[in-house]
Amino acid sequence: MFVESIQLNNYRNYDSADVTFSPGVNIFFGDNAQGKTNLLEAVYLSGTSRSHRGSRDRELIRFGADEAHIRLFFKKKDLSHRLDFHLKQRKAKGIAIDGVPIKRTSELLGLLPIVFFSPEDLSMIKNGPAMRRKFLDMEMSQLDRVYLQYLSNYNRLLGERNNLLKQIAVFPQLRETLDGWDEQLIETGENIIRKREAFIGRIDEMMREIHGKLTGSQENMQVRYEQNVTVEAFRETLWSRRDRDIRTGTTSVGPHRDDMAFFINEVDIRRFGSQGQQRTAALALKLSEIRLIEQIAGDKPILLLDDVLSELDSHRQNYLLENISDIQTMISCTGLDDFVNTRMHLDKVFYVERGSVREYTP
Ligand SMILES: Nc1ncnc2c1ncn2[C@@H]1O[C@H](COP(=O)(O)OP(=O)(O)OP(=O)(O)O)[C@@H](O)[C@H]1O
Ligand SMILES: [Mg+2]
């Protein structure tokens, strides 16, 4: 599977652009603030319907323009497909697959799996749990529409429960209405916990193998699901915390407080790992993500590496590049120096300057 080309109109700092990719390694180089990340962002958005930076649609529209368009052609199992995105200032974006408009963005997920790797991802292990939960949710949603459904239901129920908690603090007679919400929250939450359990089990296996190769097997890597509450205890704990939740106006128990824990030789490296251990684990996690998508979806994802190569030492750089030689990759960087010492074959090199992309021949 690979992206054949992308066309941008009034997207970020692009007036109009048309880029034809190689199915192998594509390099985008240029000075700061020229549009490299913006281009990768547009590819990411085509697969996931969102910006990897979490920007709103209207922020993606070129300053001063009313709307933006992205058109992307990709090949999957030898068939060509087209995706169209129409971003608007005040309305939800329009999306069409092969010319047919879709009603829900969830219809898009899984069609064009994408893995985005940025320098921030290298801090995933040492940062707080929110980033790891987001990673988990994004990955699982790309692979499993049912999970995405559970997740959006859960988040909606959680928001409604929290609103109700605040109302109960003022109108205690509303207290009984919590029962109905709690039942729904528990049911959906349990589904999420079960799915996370299974998925993290697979990450653990995959990561152990990759991490072993990365470090020459000296360390024993483990990923564990750190549940805020188990399926068995969810109902009772939610019930017993009810008074406290009403006082604080928030739900203090449930999978929205989950985390993933990373251990090396039984030491929790979120807190006690060295920088290098944390970054190596993050790299192994990203590589696991690629292989898991391949296993579960039966397709190789597209890999976007935004400015990440210069953050890795040459050993890890080489390991990464050797392990992605079979998938389409788009790499952004400020210069080509990083590649001098790698054995990597660069299929296509582009120079990005002030919102224009042109093929570069040295
Ligand atoms: N909606 C928008 N309209 C016009 N320009 C925008 C918009 N959003 C962002 N930009 C501009 O796009 C420019 C390029 O941003 P981008 O993040 O792609 O740079 P980059 O080439 O990745 O640079 P770096 O090497 O620093 O990461 C920035 O100067 C930014 O101000
Ligand atoms: Mg950038």
Side-chain angles (χ1 to χ4, degrees):
M1 169 148 113
F2 64 96
V3 178
E4 295 172 300
S5 64
I6 194 166
Q7 293 160 20
L8 306 176
N9 268 294
N10 287 332
Y11 186 87
R12 295 277 198 192
N13 68 329
Y14 289 92
D15 170 8
S16 74
D18 191 343
V19 181
T20 302
F21 301 99
S22 152
V25 179
N26 300 270
I27 308 292
F28 296 88
F29 80 103
D31 288 342
N32 295 134
Q34 303 302 310
K36 302 180 299 292
T37 300
N38 293 346
L39 182 71
L40 300 190
E41 179 186 44
V43 175
Y44 183 84
L45 183 137
S46 305
T48 62
S49 89
R50 320 186 199 184
S51 151
H52 68 281
R53 297 188 255 214
S55 305
R56 293 164 200 275
D57 282 0
R58 73 176 107 89
E59 294 166 347
L60 309 175
I61 300 172
R62 191 168 197 237
F63 300 146
D66 278 336
E67 43 187 48
H69 289 90
I70 303 173
R71 173 170 285 182
L72 178 142
F73 291 91
F74 70 98
K75 216 165 206 162
K76 184 171 176 140
K77 303 199 165 67
D78 284 330
L79 289 174
S80 274
H81 295 280
R82 186 179 102 205
L83 298 174
D84 283 284
F85 297 81
H86 180 183
L87 310 178
K88 303 161 202 180
Q89 288 283 358
R90 267 165 218 92
K91 280 190 265 170
K93 63 172 122 3
I95 306 175
I97 302 173
D98 294 326
V100 182
I102 58 173
K103 291 190 192 71
R104 293 156 165 265
T105 47
S106 59
E107 291 173 53
L108 188 70
L109 289 180
L111 200 59
L112 178 64
I114 307 239
V115 173
F116 198 107
F117 196 178
S118 71
E120 293 88 82
D121 291 313
L122 286 170
S123 324
M124 185 140 58
I125 311 288
K126 76 164 184 224
N127 283 1
M131 195 173 171
R132 290 185 289 271
R133 273 197 300 271
K134 190 173 157 223
F135 167 82
L136 200 55
D137 286 339
M138 277 307 295
E139 290 337 304
M140 292 181 69
S141 299
Q142 280 203 73
L143 287 166
D144 183 352
R145 278 183 202 183
V146 178
Y147 180 79
L148 178 66
Q149 195 60 52
Y150 289 152
L151 190 67
S152 66
N153 286 345
Y154 184 84
N155 288 334
R156 181 178 48 81
L157 290 164
L158 189 66
E160 284 169 7
R161 182 180 197 265
N162 289 342
N163 282 336
L164 188 57
L165 290 170
K166 292 183 187 92
Q167 286 178 5
I168 294 171
V170 189
F171 306 108
Q173 66 272 26
L174 288 174
R175 194 184 165 100
E176 277 171 23
T177 53
L178 259 184
D179 292 356
W181 289 115
D182 283 3
E183 275 318 303
Q184 292 185 62
L185 192 79
I186 290 163
E187 197 190 318
T188 319
E190 287 178 353
N191 287 327
I192 289 177
I193 296 170
R194 287 201 188 90
K195 287 222 175 242
R196 284 184 180 169
E197 219 157 28
F199 189 71
I200 293 171
R202 297 188 73 158
I203 295 185
D204 178 46
E205 249 173 69
M206 187 62 74
M207 213 174 143
R208 197 183 304 251
E209 188 190 319
I210 291 175
H211 190 267
K213 286 187 194 144
L214 250 170
T215 56
S217 288
Q218 288 144 3
E219 300 173 320
N220 174 25
M221 173 85 224
Q222 260 198 321
V223 187
R224 286 182 213 147
Y225 181 20
E226 200 170 82
Q227 300 182 29
N228 174 264
V229 67
T230 60
V231 165
E232 294 73 28
F234 196 7
R235 171 170 285 105
E236 207 187 305
T237 318
L238 194 65
W239 183 259
S240 71
R241 302 258 187 105
R242 207 176 244 198
D243 287 327
R244 176 186 154 167
D245 284 359
I246 292 172
R247 261 196 323 272
T248 57
T250 54
T251 303
S252 60
V253 55
H256 58 289
R257 301 258 169 116
D258 279 350
D259 198 356
M260 276 192 283
F262 296 81
F263 294 88
I264 290 177
N265 301 335
E266 294 299 319
V267 173
D268 184 343
I269 59 163
R270 287 174 304 177
R271 280 176 216 98
F272 301 109
S274 73
Q275 284 258 47
Q277 282 179 320
Q278 289 169 338
R279 289 160 70 89
T280 304
L283 175 60
L285 181 63
K286 276 292 175 183
L287 290 167
S288 310
E289 183 188 342
I290 296 172
R291 296 306 159 204
L292 275 181
I293 291 178
E294 213 175 314
Q295 270 186 7
I296 297 171
D299 262 313
K300 295 181 165 69
I302 315 298
L303 177 63
L304 310 178
L305 296 178
D306 192 20
D307 258 339
V308 81
L309 280 188
S310 53
E311 298 282 325
L312 300 171
D313 64 26
S314 62
H315 170 70
R316 289 183 184 82
Q317 247 182 33
N318 276 313
Y319 184 87
L320 171 65
L321 298 176
E322 276 161 22
N323 277 277
I324 55 171
S325 56
D326 57 338
I327 63 179
Q328 188 183 32
T329 311
M330 304 179 191
I331 300 177
S332 84
C333 48
T334 45
L336 298 177
D337 298 350
D338 281 346
F339 301 99
V340 176
N341 295 321
T342 67
R343 292 181 292 274
M344 182 169 219
H345 179 71
L346 313 181
D347 295 293
K348 245 179 166 182
V349 179
F350 299 89
Y351 181 60
V352 183
E353 189 183 30
R354 275 179 283 131
S356 94
V357 183
R358 54 170 198 277
E359 219 180 314
Y360 173 84
T361 32

